[in-house]
Amino acid sequence: MAKKLVIKVTAGADAPERCSQAFTVAAVAVASGVEVSLWLTGESSWFALPGRAAEFELPHAAPLPDLIDSILAAGRITLCTQCAARRGITERDVLDGIRIAGAQLFVQEAMTDETQALVY
């Protein structure tokens, strides 16, 4: 079993079920003691901003702000550098605990031993 899980979420409000799956899997993995690195790319980039996750709604799904809080409590959330730049998001704008980094770091994390990468 992988000791680390790297998850890239590309979907946001445009594909709510896929988006919710990514955050749910990340939160469950963190709760299970797995080291998690969640990457926000594409439309999910907006969830790095304060208040944006609270606007997300999906029936029968855990609230996105709660999932983000649980991931940040024991895991890591990273916003893609290019995705942030395309949306005018800077490090001053994002939630506490979220970093902005690029593809080189994503590849580095995904290629480490005993790591499983998932893309939603």
Side-chain angles (χ1 to χ4, degrees):
M1 181 169 138
K3 292 186 179 181
K4 183 173 181 181
L5 188 58
V6 177
I7 300 172
K8 180 183 277 194
V9 55
T10 63
D14 59 325
E17 288 182 310
R18 190 163 30 110
C19 175
S20 181
Q21 269 295 312
F23 283 94
T24 300
V25 167
V28 168
V30 165
S32 300
V34 176
E35 184 180 341
V36 173
S37 177
L38 179 73
W39 284 72
L40 305 176
T41 67
E43 286 303 300
S44 72
S45 300
W46 296 113
F47 299 128
L49 298 175
R52 293 302 284 267
E55 298 171 6
F56 180 86
E57 291 184 18
L58 182 64
H60 310 290
L64 204 52
D66 294 348
L67 295 174
I68 290 171
D69 288 345
S70 67
I71 297 163
L72 284 173
R76 170 165 283 185
I77 298 179
T78 305
L79 172 60
C80 161
T81 302
Q82 290 182 18
C83 300
R86 281 190 282 274
R87 290 160 179 81
I89 300 171
T90 69
E91 295 212 358
R92 292 183 306 275
D93 303 319
V94 300
L95 294 165
D96 287 340
I98 294 181
R99 67 180 176 172
I100 297 177
Q104 180 181 6
L105 186 57
F106 175 81
V107 170
Q108 181 182 351
E109 285 186 3
M111 296 305 296
T112 59
D113 290 339
E114 299 185 13
T115 299
Q116 173 70 49
L118 302 173
V119 178
Y120 286 88

